[in-house]
Amino acid sequence: MNKKGLDERQLHKKNMIGNQMFLLLLYALMLDAGLYGFGFRWISYPANVMLILTICSGIYVFRLIRSNAYVGPSTEKERPFLKTFLMILVSVAVAGAIIILVNISGFSSNNQTGDMAAPILFIAAFVALAVAVTTIIIKRVQDKDDAE
Protein backbone atom coordinates (compact mmCIF):
# COMPACT_ATOMS: atom_id res chain seq x y z
CA MET A 1 0.00 0.00 0.00
CA ASN A 2 1.18 3.48 -0.76
CA LYS A 3 0.65 6.76 1.09
CA LYS A 4 -2.98 7.13 -0.01
CA GLY A 5 -3.84 3.55 0.88
CA LEU A 6 -4.16 2.37 -2.71
CA ASP A 7 -3.39 -1.27 -3.40
CA GLU A 8 -1.50 -2.51 -6.47
CA ARG A 9 -4.63 -2.95 -8.58
CA GLN A 10 -5.80 0.58 -7.78
CA LEU A 11 -2.38 2.04 -8.56
CA HIS A 12 -2.31 0.20 -11.87
CA LYS A 13 -5.81 1.37 -12.72
CA LYS A 14 -5.01 4.97 -11.71
CA ASN A 15 -1.85 5.02 -13.82
CA MET A 16 -3.63 3.44 -16.78
CA ILE A 17 -6.47 5.97 -16.62
CA GLY A 18 -3.95 8.83 -16.25
CA ASN A 19 -2.02 7.71 -19.33
CA GLN A 20 -5.22 7.37 -21.36
CA MET A 21 -6.43 10.81 -20.32
CA PHE A 22 -3.07 12.36 -21.16
CA LEU A 23 -3.27 10.87 -24.65
CA LEU A 24 -6.89 12.05 -25.00
CA LEU A 25 -5.82 15.55 -23.97
CA LEU A 26 -2.90 15.50 -26.41
CA TYR A 27 -5.05 14.30 -29.32
CA ALA A 28 -7.84 16.78 -28.54
CA LEU A 29 -5.38 19.70 -28.43
CA MET A 30 -3.69 18.55 -31.65
CA LEU A 31 -7.07 18.17 -33.37
CA ASP A 32 -8.07 21.63 -32.17
CA ALA A 33 -4.80 23.12 -33.42
CA GLY A 34 -5.18 21.37 -36.77
CA LEU A 35 -8.74 22.58 -37.21
CA TYR A 36 -7.63 26.09 -36.20
CA GLY A 37 -4.98 25.93 -38.92
CA PHE A 38 -7.65 25.07 -41.50
CA GLY A 39 -9.74 28.05 -40.41
CA PHE A 40 -12.32 26.25 -38.26
CA ARG A 41 -12.82 28.16 -35.00
CA TRP A 42 -15.41 26.67 -32.71
CA ILE A 43 -14.49 28.90 -29.73
CA SER A 44 -11.92 31.69 -29.46
CA TYR A 45 -8.36 30.83 -28.36
CA PRO A 46 -8.10 30.72 -24.58
CA ALA A 47 -11.60 29.29 -24.19
CA ASN A 48 -10.99 26.28 -26.43
CA VAL A 49 -7.94 25.11 -24.50
CA MET A 50 -9.61 25.66 -21.13
CA LEU A 51 -12.70 23.76 -22.24
CA ILE A 52 -10.62 20.82 -23.51
CA LEU A 53 -8.63 20.75 -20.25
CA THR A 54 -11.81 20.89 -18.16
CA ILE A 55 -13.48 18.08 -20.08
CA CYS A 56 -10.41 15.83 -19.94
CA SER A 57 -9.81 16.41 -16.23
CA GLY A 58 -13.49 15.84 -15.48
CA ILE A 59 -13.42 12.54 -17.36
CA TYR A 60 -10.23 11.59 -15.50
CA VAL A 61 -11.71 12.21 -12.05
CA PHE A 62 -15.00 10.53 -12.95
CA ARG A 63 -13.18 7.43 -14.21
CA LEU A 64 -10.98 7.30 -11.10
CA ILE A 65 -13.98 7.43 -8.81
CA ARG A 66 -15.91 4.91 -10.90
CA SER A 67 -13.04 2.40 -10.83
CA ASN A 68 -12.47 2.89 -7.07
CA ALA A 69 -8.93 4.13 -7.67
CA TYR A 70 -9.35 7.56 -6.06
CA VAL A 71 -8.83 6.56 -2.42
CA GLY A 72 -7.88 3.34 -0.70
CA PRO A 73 -10.28 0.53 0.07
CA SER A 74 -12.70 0.93 2.93
CA THR A 75 -12.71 -1.52 5.84
CA GLU A 76 -16.45 -1.05 6.28
CA LYS A 77 -19.11 -2.63 4.11
CA GLU A 78 -20.02 -0.87 0.88
CA ARG A 79 -23.13 1.27 0.59
CA PRO A 80 -23.93 1.18 -3.14
CA PHE A 81 -27.36 2.74 -2.69
CA LEU A 82 -25.92 5.78 -0.92
CA LYS A 83 -23.20 6.26 -3.56
CA THR A 84 -25.68 5.89 -6.40
CA PHE A 85 -28.13 8.27 -4.76
CA LEU A 86 -25.41 10.89 -4.18
CA MET A 87 -24.17 10.63 -7.77
CA ILE A 88 -27.71 11.00 -9.13
CA LEU A 89 -28.37 13.95 -6.82
CA VAL A 90 -25.17 15.72 -7.86
CA SER A 91 -25.83 14.99 -11.55
CA VAL A 92 -29.34 16.44 -11.34
CA ALA A 93 -28.03 19.51 -9.50
CA VAL A 94 -25.27 20.11 -12.05
CA ALA A 95 -27.64 19.59 -14.99
CA GLY A 96 -30.14 22.00 -13.45
CA ALA A 97 -27.45 24.59 -12.84
CA ILE A 98 -26.21 24.28 -16.43
CA ILE A 99 -29.73 24.72 -17.78
CA ILE A 100 -30.26 27.79 -15.60
CA LEU A 101 -26.89 29.26 -16.62
CA VAL A 102 -27.61 28.64 -20.30
CA ASN A 103 -30.97 30.39 -19.99
CA ILE A 104 -29.46 33.32 -18.05
CA SER A 105 -26.53 33.73 -20.45
CA GLY A 106 -28.92 34.08 -23.39
CA PHE A 107 -27.55 31.49 -25.77
CA SER A 108 -29.19 31.74 -29.14
CA SER A 109 -28.49 30.65 -32.67
CA ASN A 110 -27.46 34.21 -33.56
CA ASN A 111 -24.35 34.18 -31.33
CA GLN A 112 -21.00 33.92 -33.04
CA THR A 113 -18.34 31.59 -31.71
CA GLY A 114 -16.31 34.44 -30.21
CA ASP A 115 -19.32 35.65 -28.24
CA MET A 116 -19.91 32.18 -26.76
CA ALA A 117 -16.47 31.87 -25.17
CA ALA A 118 -17.29 33.62 -21.90
CA PRO A 119 -20.50 31.71 -21.11
CA ILE A 120 -18.94 28.39 -22.10
CA LEU A 121 -15.92 29.05 -19.88
CA PHE A 122 -18.23 30.05 -17.04
CA ILE A 123 -20.21 26.82 -17.39
CA ALA A 124 -17.00 24.76 -17.71
CA ALA A 125 -15.59 26.36 -14.57
CA PHE A 126 -18.83 25.69 -12.70
CA VAL A 127 -18.78 22.04 -13.79
CA ALA A 128 -15.11 21.73 -12.79
CA LEU A 129 -15.91 23.15 -9.36
CA ALA A 130 -18.85 20.75 -9.01
CA VAL A 131 -16.57 17.83 -9.87
CA ALA A 132 -13.96 19.03 -7.36
CA VAL A 133 -16.52 19.44 -4.58
CA THR A 134 -17.98 16.01 -5.36
CA THR A 135 -14.57 14.36 -5.16
CA ILE A 136 -13.82 16.11 -1.86
CA ILE A 137 -17.15 14.94 -0.44
CA ILE A 138 -16.55 11.38 -1.62
CA LYS A 139 -13.06 11.37 -0.15
CA ARG A 140 -14.28 12.68 3.21
CA VAL A 141 -17.09 10.13 3.35
CA GLN A 142 -14.66 7.33 2.53
CA ASP A 143 -12.11 8.66 5.05
CA LYS A 144 -14.83 8.82 7.71
CA ASP A 145 -15.76 5.22 6.89
CA ASP A 146 -12.07 4.21 7.23
CA ALA A 147 -11.76 5.94 10.61
CA GLU A 148 -14.74 4.13 12.13
Side-chain angles (χ1 to χ4, degrees):
M1 295 240 179
N2 70 352
K3 222 195 273 188
K4 291 187 178 183
L6 299 175
D7 60 14
E8 290 178 18
R9 183 202 60 81
Q10 289 172 319
L11 280 175
H12 172 71
K13 196 71 169 171
K14 185 176 183 176
N15 291 337
M16 182 184 73
I17 292 170
N19 290 337
Q20 290 172 351
M21 289 300 102
F22 174 74
L23 289 175
L24 177 68
L25 176 65
L26 177 70
Y27 292 145
L29 288 173
M30 295 298 270
L31 179 66
D32 182 52
L35 289 174
Y36 189 81
F38 284 116
F40 179 76
R41 288 159 181 76
W42 59 292
I43 301 176
S44 60
Y45 163 64
N48 62 352
V49 174
M50 290 301 295
L51 190 60
I52 290 171
L53 285 171
T54 303
I55 290 170
C56 288
S57 63
I59 293 170
Y60 172 71
V61 170
F62 177 77
R63 287 187 62 198
L64 282 182
I65 292 171
R66 187 163 184 240
S67 66
N68 291 327
Y70 186 68
V71 293
S74 174
T75 57
E76 294 290 315
K77 65 178 184 172
E78 293 289 324
R79 296 184 189 133
F81 176 76
L82 181 61
K83 286 183 182 179
T84 305
F85 179 73
L86 285 175
M87 289 303 287
I88 290 171
L89 186 65
V90 169
S91 299
V92 168
V94 169
I98 289 173
I99 290 170
I100 290 170
L101 289 174
V102 166
N103 288 337
I104 289 173
S105 67
F107 274 124
S108 69
S109 59
N110 298 345
N111 286 344
Q112 295 183 358
T113 58
D115 298 334
M116 292 174 41
I120 288 176
L121 275 179
F122 181 72
I123 291 170
F126 179 77
V127 170
L129 286 173
V131 167
V133 167
T134 303
T135 55
I136 289 169
I137 291 170
I138 289 172
K139 184 176 180 186
R140 288 194 180 171
V141 166
Q142 288 180 346
D143 286 346
K144 187 193 310 183
D145 287 345
D146 288 342
E148 292 176 352

Coordinates of all heavy atoms in Angstrom, one line a residue, residues 48-115:
N48 N -11.0 27.6 -25.9 CA -11.0 26.3 -26.4 C -10.0 25.4 -25.6 O -10.4 24.2 -25.3 CB -10.6 26.3 -27.9 CG -9.3 26.9 -28.2 OD1 -8.6 27.4 -27.4 ND2 -8.9 26.8 -29.5
V49 N -8.9 25.9 -25.3 CA -7.9 25.1 -24.5 C -8.5 24.8 -23.1 O -8.4 23.7 -22.6 CB -6.6 25.8 -24.4 CG1 -5.6 25.1 -23.5 CG2 -6.0 26.0 -25.8
M50 N -9.1 25.8 -22.5 CA -9.6 25.7 -21.1 C -10.8 24.7 -21.1 O -10.9 23.8 -20.2 CB -10.1 27.0 -20.6 CG -9.0 27.9 -20.2 SD -7.8 27.3 -19.0 CE -8.9 27.1 -17.6
L51 N -11.6 24.7 -22.1 CA -12.7 23.8 -22.2 C -12.2 22.3 -22.4 O -12.7 21.4 -21.8 CB -13.6 24.2 -23.4 CG -15.0 23.4 -23.4 CD1 -15.7 23.6 -22.1 CD2 -15.8 23.9 -24.6
I52 N -11.2 22.1 -23.3 CA -10.6 20.8 -23.5 C -10.0 20.3 -22.2 O -10.2 19.1 -21.8 CB -9.6 20.9 -24.7 CG1 -10.3 21.1 -26.0 CG2 -8.8 19.6 -24.7 CD1 -9.4 21.3 -27.2
L53 N -9.2 21.2 -21.5 CA -8.6 20.7 -20.3 C -9.7 20.4 -19.2 O -9.5 19.4 -18.5 CB -7.7 21.9 -19.7 CG -6.4 22.1 -20.4 CD1 -5.7 23.3 -19.9 CD2 -5.5 20.9 -20.1
T54 N -10.7 21.2 -19.1 CA -11.8 20.9 -18.2 C -12.5 19.6 -18.5 O -12.7 18.8 -17.5 CB -12.8 22.0 -18.2 OG1 -12.2 23.3 -17.9 CG2 -13.9 21.8 -17.1
I55 N -12.8 19.3 -19.7 CA -13.5 18.1 -20.1 C -12.6 16.9 -19.8 O -13.0 15.9 -19.2 CB -13.9 18.1 -21.6 CG1 -15.0 19.1 -21.8 CG2 -14.3 16.7 -22.1 CD1 -15.4 19.4 -23.2
C56 N -11.3 17.0 -20.2 CA -10.4 15.8 -19.9 C -10.2 15.6 -18.4 O -10.2 14.4 -18.0 CB -9.1 16.1 -20.7 SG -9.2 15.9 -22.4
S57 N -10.0 16.6 -17.7 CA -9.8 16.4 -16.2 C -11.1 15.9 -15.6 O -11.0 15.1 -14.6 CB -9.3 17.7 -15.6 OG -10.3 18.7 -15.7
G58 N -12.2 16.3 -16.0 CA -13.5 15.8 -15.5 C -13.7 14.4 -15.8 O -14.1 13.6 -14.9
I59 N -13.3 14.0 -17.0 CA -13.4 12.5 -17.4 C -12.4 11.7 -16.5 O -12.8 10.6 -16.0 CB -13.1 12.4 -18.9 CG1 -14.3 13.0 -19.7 CG2 -13.0 10.9 -19.2 CD1 -14.0 13.0 -21.2
Y60 N -11.3 12.3 -16.3 CA -10.2 11.6 -15.5 C -10.7 11.3 -14.1 O -10.7 10.2 -13.6 CB -8.9 12.4 -15.5 CG -7.9 11.9 -14.5 CD1 -7.2 10.8 -14.8 CD2 -7.6 12.6 -13.4 CE1 -6.2 10.3 -14.0 CE2 -6.6 12.2 -12.5 CZ -5.9 11.0 -12.8 OH -5.0 10.5 -12.0
V61 N -11.2 12.4 -13.4 CA -11.7 12.2 -12.0 C -12.9 11.3 -12.0 O -13.0 10.4 -11.1 CB -12.0 13.6 -11.4 CG1 -12.7 13.5 -10.1 CG2 -10.8 14.4 -11.3
F62 N -13.8 11.4 -12.9 CA -15.0 10.5 -13.0 C -14.6 9.1 -13.1 O -15.1 8.2 -12.4 CB -15.9 10.9 -14.1 CG -17.1 10.0 -14.2 CD1 -18.2 10.2 -13.4 CD2 -17.2 9.1 -15.2 CE1 -19.3 9.3 -13.5 CE2 -18.3 8.2 -15.3 CZ -19.3 8.4 -14.5
R63 N -13.6 8.8 -14.0 CA -13.2 7.4 -14.2 C -12.4 6.9 -13.0 O -12.5 5.7 -12.7 CB -12.3 7.3 -15.5 CG -13.1 7.5 -16.7 CD -12.3 7.2 -18.0 NE -11.8 5.9 -17.9 CZ -10.7 5.5 -18.7 NH1 -10.1 6.3 -19.5 NH2 -10.3 4.2 -18.6
L64 N -11.7 7.7 -12.3 CA -11.0 7.3 -11.1 C -12.0 6.9 -10.0 O -11.8 5.9 -9.4 CB -10.1 8.4 -10.6 CG -8.7 8.6 -11.2 CD1 -7.9 9.7 -10.5 CD2 -7.9 7.3 -11.3
I65 N -13.0 7.7 -9.8 CA -14.0 7.4 -8.8 C -14.8 6.2 -9.2 O -15.0 5.3 -8.4 CB -14.9 8.6 -8.6 CG1 -14.1 9.8 -8.0 CG2 -16.1 8.3 -7.7 CD1 -14.9 11.1 -8.0
R66 N -15.1 6.1 -10.5 CA -15.9 4.9 -10.9 C -15.1 3.6 -10.8 O -15.7 2.6 -10.5 CB -16.3 5.1 -12.3 CG -17.3 4.1 -12.8 CD -18.0 4.5 -14.1 NE -19.0 3.5 -14.5 CZ -18.9 2.9 -15.6 NH1 -18.0 3.2 -16.5 NH2 -19.8 2.0 -15.9
S67 N -13.8 3.6 -10.9 CA -13.0 2.4 -10.8 C -12.5 2.2 -9.4 O -11.6 1.3 -9.2 CB -11.9 2.4 -11.8 OG -11.0 3.4 -11.5
N68 N -12.9 3.0 -8.5 CA -12.5 2.9 -7.1 C -11.0 3.0 -6.9 O -10.3 2.3 -6.2 CB -12.9 1.6 -6.4 CG -14.4 1.6 -6.2 OD1 -15.0 2.6 -6.0 ND2 -15.0 0.4 -6.4
A69 N -10.4 3.9 -7.7 CA -8.9 4.1 -7.7 C -8.6 5.5 -7.2 O -7.5 6.0 -7.3 CB -8.3 3.9 -9.1
Y70 N -9.6 6.2 -6.5 CA -9.3 7.6 -6.1 C -8.8 7.5 -4.6 O -7.8 8.3 -4.3 CB -10.7 8.4 -6.1 CG -10.5 9.8 -5.8 CD1 -9.8 10.7 -6.6 CD2 -11.0 10.3 -4.6 CE1 -9.6 12.0 -6.3 CE2 -10.8 11.7 -4.3 CZ -10.1 12.5 -5.1 OH -9.9 13.8 -4.8
V71 N -9.3 6.7 -3.8 CA -8.8 6.6 -2.4 C -8.8 5.1 -2.1 O -9.3 4.3 -2.8 CB -9.7 7.3 -1.4 CG1 -9.6 8.8 -1.5 CG2 -11.1 6.8 -1.4
G72 N -8.1 4.7 -1.1 CA -7.9 3.3 -0.7 C -9.2 2.6 -0.3 O -10.2 3.2 -0.1
P73 N -9.1 1.3 -0.2 CA -10.3 0.5 0.1 C -10.8 0.8 1.5 O -10.0 1.0 2.4 CB -9.8 -0.9 -0.1 CG -8.3 -0.9 0.1 CD -7.9 0.5 -0.4
S74 N -12.1 0.7 1.6 CA -12.7 0.9 2.9 C -12.8 -0.4 3.7 O -13.0 -1.5 3.1 CB -14.1 1.5 2.7 OG -14.8 1.6 4.0
T75 N -12.6 -0.3 5.0 CA -12.7 -1.5 5.8 C -14.2 -1.8 6.2 O -14.5 -2.9 6.5 CB -11.9 -1.4 7.2 OG1 -12.5 -0.2 7.8 CG2 -10.5 -1.2 6.9
E76 N -15.0 -0.9 6.0 CA -16.5 -1.1 6.3 C -17.1 -1.6 5.0 O -16.6 -1.6 3.9 CB -17.1 0.3 6.6 CG -16.6 0.9 7.9 CD -17.1 0.1 9.1 OE1 -18.3 -0.3 9.2 OE2 -16.2 -0.2 10.0
K77 N -18.4 -2.1 5.2 CA -19.1 -2.6 4.1 C -19.5 -1.5 3.2 O -19.6 -0.3 3.6 CB -20.3 -3.4 4.6 CG -21.4 -2.5 5.3 CD -22.6 -3.3 5.7 CE -23.6 -2.3 6.3 NZ -24.8 -2.9 6.5
E78 N -19.7 -1.8 1.9 CA -20.0 -0.9 0.9 C -21.5 -0.5 1.0 O -22.3 -1.2 1.5 CB -19.8 -1.5 -0.5 CG -18.3 -1.7 -0.8 CD -17.6 -0.5 -1.1 OE1 -18.1 0.5 -1.6 OE2 -16.4 -0.4 -0.7
R79 N -21.8 0.8 0.6 CA -23.1 1.3 0.6 C -23.4 1.7 -0.8 O -23.4 2.9 -1.1 CB -23.3 2.4 1.6 CG -23.0 2.0 3.0 CD -23.3 3.2 3.9 NE -22.9 2.9 5.2 CZ -22.2 3.7 6.0 NH1 -21.8 4.9 5.5 NH2 -21.8 3.3 7.2
P80 N -23.7 0.8 -1.7 CA -23.9 1.2 -3.1 C -25.1 2.1 -3.3 O -25.1 2.9 -4.2 CB -24.1 -0.1 -3.9 CG -24.5 -1.1 -2.8 CD -23.9 -0.6 -1.5
F81 N -26.2 1.9 -2.5 CA -27.4 2.7 -2.7 C -27.0 4.2 -2.4 O -27.4 5.1 -3.1 CB -28.5 2.3 -1.8 CG -29.7 3.1 -1.8 CD1 -30.6 3.1 -2.9 CD2 -30.0 4.0 -0.8 CE1 -31.7 3.9 -3.0 CE2 -31.1 4.9 -0.9 CZ -31.9 4.8 -2.0
L82 N -26.3 4.4 -1.3 CA -25.9 5.8 -0.9 C -25.0 6.4 -2.0 O -25.3 7.6 -2.4 CB -25.2 5.8 0.4 CG -24.8 7.1 1.0 CD1 -26.0 8.0 1.2 CD2 -24.0 7.0 2.2
K83 N -24.1 5.7 -2.5 CA -23.2 6.3 -3.6 C -24.0 6.6 -4.8 O -23.8 7.6 -5.4 CB -22.1 5.3 -3.9 CG -21.0 5.2 -2.9 CD -19.9 4.2 -3.3 CE -18.8 4.1 -2.3 NZ -17.8 3.2 -2.7
T84 N -24.9 5.7 -5.2 CA -25.7 5.9 -6.4 C -26.6 7.1 -6.2 O -26.7 7.9 -7.1 CB -26.5 4.6 -6.7 OG1 -25.6 3.5 -6.8 CG2 -27.3 4.8 -8.0
F85 N -27.2 7.2 -5.0 CA -28.1 8.3 -4.8 C -27.4 9.6 -4.8 O -27.9 10.6 -5.4 CB -28.8 8.1 -3.4 CG -29.7 9.2 -3.0 CD1 -31.0 9.3 -3.7 CD2 -29.4 10.1 -2.0 CE1 -31.8 10.4 -3.3 CE2 -30.2 11.1 -1.7 CZ -31.4 11.3 -2.3
L86 N -26.2 9.7 -4.2 CA -25.4 10.9 -4.2 C -25.0 11.3 -5.6 O -25.0 12.5 -5.9 CB -24.2 10.7 -3.3 CG -24.5 10.8 -1.8 CD1 -23.2 10.5 -1.0 CD2 -25.0 12.1 -1.4
M87 N -24.6 10.3 -6.4 CA -24.2 10.6 -7.8 C -25.4 11.1 -8.6 O -25.2 12.1 -9.4 CB -23.5 9.4 -8.4 CG -22.2 9.0 -7.9 SD -21.0 10.4 -8.0 CE -20.7 10.4 -9.8
I88 N -26.5 10.5 -8.4 CA -27.7 11.0 -9.1 C -28.1 12.4 -8.7 O -28.4 13.3 -9.5 CB -28.9 10.0 -8.9 CG1 -28.6 8.7 -9.7 CG2 -30.2 10.6 -9.4 CD1 -29.6 7.6 -9.4
L89 N -28.0 12.6 -7.4 CA -28.4 13.9 -6.8 C -27.4 15.0 -7.4 O -27.9 16.1 -7.8 CB -28.3 13.9 -5.3 CG -28.8 15.1 -4.5 CD1 -30.3 15.4 -4.8 CD2 -28.5 15.0 -3.1
V90 N -26.1 14.8 -7.4 CA -25.2 15.7 -7.9 C -25.4 15.9 -9.4 O -25.3 17.1 -9.8 CB -23.7 15.3 -7.5 CG1 -22.7 16.1 -8.3 CG2 -23.5 15.3 -6.0
S91 N -25.6 14.9 -10.1 CA -25.8 15.0 -11.6 C -27.0 15.9 -11.9 O -27.0 16.7 -12.8 CB -26.0 13.6 -12.2 OG -24.9 12.8 -12.0
V92 N -28.1 15.6 -11.1 CA -29.3 16.4 -11.3 C -29.1 17.9 -11.0 O -29.5 18.8 -11.7 CB -30.5 15.9 -10.5 CG1 -31.7 16.8 -10.5 CG2 -30.9 14.5 -11.1
A93 N -28.3 18.1 -9.9 CA -28.0 19.5 -9.5 C -27.2 20.2 -10.5 O -27.4 21.4 -10.9 CB -27.3 19.5 -8.1
V94 N -26.1 19.5 -11.0 CA -25.3 20.1 -12.1 C -26.0 20.4 -13.3 O -25.9 21.4 -14.0 CB -24.0 19.2 -12.3 CG1 -23.3 19.7 -13.5 CG2 -23.1 19.2 -11.1
A95 N -26.9 19.4 -13.8 CA -27.6 19.6 -15.0 C -28.6 20.8 -14.8 O -28.7 21.6 -15.8 CB -28.4 18.3 -15.3
G96 N -29.2 20.9 -13.7 CA -30.1 22.0 -13.4 C -29.4 23.3 -13.5 O -29.9 24.3 -14.0
A97 N -28.2 23.4 -12.9 CA -27.4 24.6 -12.8 C -27.0 25.0 -14.3 O -27.0 26.2 -14.6 CB -26.2 24.4 -11.9
I98 N -26.6 24.0 -15.0 CA -26.2 24.3 -16.4 C -27.4 24.8 -17.2 O -27.2 25.8 -18.0 CB -25.6 23.0 -17.1 CG1 -24.2 22.7 -16.5 CG2 -25.5 23.2 -18.6 CD1 -23.6 21.4 -16.9
I99 N -28.5 24.2 -17.1 CA -29.7 24.7 -17.8 C -30.1 26.2 -17.4 O -30.3 27.0 -18.2 CB -30.9 23.8 -17.5 CG1 -30.7 22.4 -18.2 CG2 -32.2 24.4 -18.0 CD1 -31.7 21.4 -17.9
I100 N -30.0 26.4 -16.1 CA -30.3 27.8 -15.6 C -29.2 28.8 -16.1 O -29.6 29.9 -16.6 CB -30.3 27.8 -14.1 CG1 -31.5 27.1 -13.6 CG2 -30.3 29.2 -13.5 CD1 -31.5 26.8 -12.1
L101 N -27.9 28.4 -16.1 CA -26.9 29.3 -16.6 C -27.0 29.5 -18.1 O -26.8 30.6 -18.6 CB -25.5 28.7 -16.3 CG -25.1 28.7 -14.8 CD1 -23.8 28.0 -14.6 CD2 -25.0 30.1 -14.3
V102 N -27.4 28.5 -18.9 CA -27.6 28.6 -20.3 C -28.8 29.6 -20.6 O -28.7 30.5 -21.4 CB -27.9 27.3 -21.0 CG1 -28.4 27.5 -22.4 CG2 -26.6 26.5 -21.0
N103 N -29.8 29.5 -19.8 CA -31.0 30.4 -20.0 C -30.6 31.8 -19.6 O -31.0 32.8 -20.2 CB -32.2 29.9 -19.2 CG -32.8 28.7 -19.8 OD1 -32.6 28.4 -21.0 ND2 -33.5 27.9 -19.0
I104 N -29.9 32.0 -18.5 CA -29.5 33.3 -18.1 C -28.5 34.0 -19.0 O -28.6 35.2 -19.3 CB -28.8 33.2 -16.7 CG1 -29.9 32.9 -15.6 CG2 -28.1 34.5 -16.3 CD1 -29.3 32.7 -14.2
S105 N -27.6 33.2 -19.6 CA -26.5 33.7 -20.4 C -27.1 34.1 -21.8 O -26.5 34.9 -22.5 CB -25.4 32.8 -20.6 OG -25.8 31.6 -21.3
G106 N -28.3 33.6 -22.2 CA -28.9 34.1 -23.4 C -28.3 33.4 -24.6 O -28.2 34.1 -25.6
F107 N -28.0 32.2 -24.6 CA -27.5 31.5 -25.8 C -28.6 31.5 -26.8 O -29.8 31.3 -26.5 CB -27.2 30.0 -25.5 CG -25.9 29.8 -25.0 CD1 -25.7 29.1 -23.8 CD2 -24.8 30.2 -25.7 CE1 -24.5 28.8 -23.3 CE2 -23.5 29.9 -25.2 CZ -23.4 29.2 -24.0
S108 N -28.2 31.8 -28.0 CA -29.2 31.7 -29.1 C -28.4 31.4 -30.4 O -27.2 31.3 -30.4 CB -29.9 33.1 -29.3 OG -29.0 34.0 -29.8
S109 N -29.1 31.1 -31.4 CA -28.5 30.7 -32.7 C -27.8 31.8 -33.4 O -27.0 31.6 -34.3 CB -29.5 30.0 -33.6 OG -30.5 31.0 -33.9
N110 N -28.1 33.0 -32.9 CA -27.5 34.2 -33.6 C -26.1 34.5 -33.0 O -25.3 35.3 -33.6 CB -28.3 35.4 -33.3 CG -29.7 35.3 -34.0 OD1 -29.9 34.4 -34.8 ND2 -30.6 36.1 -33.6
N111 N -25.7 33.9 -31.9 CA -24.3 34.2 -31.3 C -23.3 33.7 -32.2 O -23.4 32.6 -32.8 CB -24.2 33.5 -30.0 CG -25.0 34.2 -28.9 OD1 -25.4 35.4 -29.1 ND2 -25.2 33.6 -27.8
Q112 N -22.2 34.4 -32.3 CA -21.0 33.9 -33.0 C -20.1 33.2 -32.1 O -20.2 33.3 -30.9 CB -20.3 35.1 -33.7 CG -21.1 35.8 -34.7 CD -20.3 36.9 -35.4 OE1 -19.2 37.2 -35.1 NE2 -21.0 37.5 -36.4
T113 N -19.2 32.4 -32.6 CA -18.3 31.6 -31.7 C -17.5 32.4 -30.7 O -17.3 32.0 -29.6 CB -17.4 30.7 -32.5 OG1 -16.6 31.5 -33.4 CG2 -18.2 29.7 -33.4
G114 N -17.1 33.6 -31.1 CA -16.3 34.4 -30.2 C -17.1 34.9 -29.0 O -16.7 35.1 -27.9
D115 N -18.4 35.2 -29.3 CA -19.3 35.6 -28.2 C -19.7 34.6 -27.2 O -20.1 34.8 -26.1 CB -20.6 36.2 -28.8 CG -20.4 37.4 -29.7 OD1 -19.4 38.1 -29.5 OD2 -21.2 37.6 -30.6

